[in-house]
Amino acid sequence: MPVSDFQMVDAWTRVLKLSRLEAGQTVTILTSANTHPQTLSTALIATQALGAIVNRLDLPPVNGEKALSRDPLAYLGTTPLTGNRAAIAALKESDLVLDLMTLLFSPEQLDILKGGTKILLAVEPPEVLTRLVPTPEDRERVLAAQARIGRAREMHIVSAAGTDFHCPLGEFHPIAEYGFVDEPGRWDHWPSGFALTFPNDGQAYGRIVIDRGDILLPQKSYVNDPIELTVENGFATRIEGGVDAQLLSEYMATFRDDQAYAISHIGWGLQPRAHWSTLGLYDREQTIGMDARAFEGNFLFSLGPNNEAGGSRTTTCHIDIPLRHCDVYLDGEAVVRNGCVVNGGH
Ligand SMILES: [Fe+2]
């Protein structure tokens, strides 16, 4: 169901105030071929109403002919900023960039952030954005989980479905995504609400069972036949099961890249306003599946790069896989039990 422009302006205003936007600061709104017109028009109103100096920067899409889907998170190749000195200069001179196109991680983006510019990604449809407007409480919860990960030496995940997966930690800093950008140089994504890190490179091991009803992204489908991943020395070395395992294997093989099978980010969802059922109600063109990523008590892991955390692995393939009904332990202490966040566990 649609939301009104008034609701979207109000949602933007709350997010911009949480992001400490002040009168006289410069905001650049990044757009491309897939930008939602209502998200753009209401961002223009809300930023100007708060007294910001506002620019639009529209960049042509890239990688469409290489990716196998229209999902903006599915293919991590070059970005429209690659080699684009004029665009990079405009973004570096901005206090805040509202990314309505999905810039994704790139050396150019990291360079822009280092200069103190904040970047907020917002590409889910307006009704999802208004339902999942972030709050200061979201921030507190996610920061507490981030701090808890930062003290741990190992994340261990088990489930009744058969998951028994070990991730030694310490090489990479934990990351908090709570949906707004209140510090200089911060990147975040509205909507979100989860904490994550990356296993020490080459050290994750065990077995992950993606159970019936769990979600594959960017496939944006609920799994029907369990998929079993064998993880050795940081890589998924076997993908076994029925037709869903076969489809996942075939999709990943199209990238022709061994690095695609590396365990990427790991963490858990903390957003009580995100719902598991939402994905089944949307056309695949309309959503990137943030409800599934942020769902409170999920275990979210992924396959692909670790350069987002400062690692050296890049690959164009990236699969996000949220699982329900897992236990997540940090150094033996449960932070999620059977898919429910343990109070005080972080
Ligand atoms: Fe991911």
Side-chain angles (χ1 to χ4, degrees):
M1 224 166 283
V3 291
S4 70
D5 288 353
F6 173 76
Q7 287 173 290
M8 268 301 284
V9 169
D10 179 60
W12 268 120
T13 304
R14 282 190 277 160
V15 170
L16 294 169
K17 284 183 174 171
L18 286 169
S19 299
R20 301 185 192 173
L21 179 64
E22 290 168 16
Q25 290 188 328
T26 298
V27 178
T28 299
I29 304 176
L30 258 187
T31 62
S32 190
N34 59 353
T35 294
H36 195 290
Q38 188 181 27
T39 306
L40 170 60
S41 62
T42 53
L44 284 164
I45 293 168
T47 47
Q48 290 175 87
L50 289 171
I53 299 160
V54 184
N55 306 305
R56 272 185 66 178
L57 178 58
D58 191 65
L59 298 175
V62 295
N63 300 320
E65 78 290 359
K66 302 189 196 91
L68 295 190
S69 81
R70 288 169 62 87
D71 187 293
L73 301 175
Y75 192 93
L76 310 180
T78 54
T79 77
L81 291 186
T82 309
N84 189 341
R85 286 185 294 120
I88 294 167
L91 299 180
K92 277 187 168 175
E93 288 299 318
S94 306
D95 298 292
L96 173 64
V97 173
L98 301 179
D99 177 5
L100 309 189
M101 76 168 203
T102 316
L103 186 52
L104 288 178
F105 281 87
S106 59
E108 294 82 10
Q109 176 166 313
L110 291 174
D111 193 31
I112 291 161
L113 293 167
K114 264 188 214 137
T117 299
K118 304 167 178 179
I119 302 180
L120 182 67
L121 174 64
V123 294
E124 283 286 35
E127 68 279 6
V128 175
L129 294 176
T130 50
R131 172 165 49 84
L132 292 170
V133 172
T135 65
E137 293 72 33
D138 291 343
R139 176 178 175 276
E140 292 306 313
R141 218 165 36 242
V142 174
L143 286 179
Q146 179 194 28
R148 183 68 189 79
I149 295 172
R151 294 192 295 271
R153 307 302 298 172
E154 191 202 49
M155 189 182 293
H156 179 209
I157 302 92
V158 298
S159 74
T163 295
D164 186 4
F165 178 45
H166 294 264
C167 294
L169 304 178
E171 190 176 333
F172 300 104
H173 290 297
I175 296 173
E177 290 191 22
Y178 48 78
F180 54 95
V181 282
D182 51 340
E183 300 291 341
R186 179 172 173 77
W187 179 94
D188 210 320
H189 187 176
W190 168 30
S192 49
F194 45 87
L196 60 129
T197 190
F198 292 73
N200 295 348
D201 205 15
Q203 293 183 21
Y205 66 96
R207 182 167 72 147
I208 302 171
V209 177
I210 306 166
D211 201 11
R212 187 175 158 88
D214 289 335
I215 289 172
L216 297 177
L217 303 167
Q219 285 78 0
K220 294 173 206 162
S221 60
Y222 298 93
V223 167
N224 278 305
D225 299 320
I227 304 171
E228 184 173 327
L229 301 184
T230 302
V231 180
E232 299 170 293
N233 302 318
F235 285 80
T237 51
R238 285 204 299 274
I239 301 175
E240 295 167 309
V243 69
D244 286 321
Q246 206 179 330
L247 289 169
L248 177 63
S249 286
E250 286 177 15
Y251 173 75
M252 293 187 72
T254 65
F255 290 85
R256 298 177 186 278
D257 185 357
D258 292 345
Q259 302 302 308
Y261 299 89
I263 300 298
S264 178
H265 56 81
I266 51 170
W268 69 95
L270 291 154
Q271 179 51 269
R273 298 185 304 286
H275 299 286
W276 203 257
S277 57
T278 316
L279 190 72
L281 304 170
Y282 271 84
D283 184 276
R284 284 194 180 98
E285 293 285 304
Q286 290 177 312
T287 179
I288 57 169
M290 289 308 291
D291 272 89
R293 288 187 181 86
F295 181 81
E296 185 176 38
N298 74 11
F299 168 64
L300 172 63
F301 80 100
S302 71
L303 300 168
N306 65 5
N307 57 331
E308 176 185 347
S312 58
R313 179 172 303 102
T314 58
T315 170
T316 53
C317 184
H318 185 58
I319 317 278
D320 279 330
I321 307 177
L323 308 179
R324 290 183 87 173
H325 308 305
C326 290
D327 297 340
V328 180
Y329 296 92
L330 292 174
D331 294 342
E333 187 185 343
V335 290
V336 174
R337 202 183 286 281
N338 193 24
C340 295
V341 172
V342 176
N343 284 333
H346 51 257

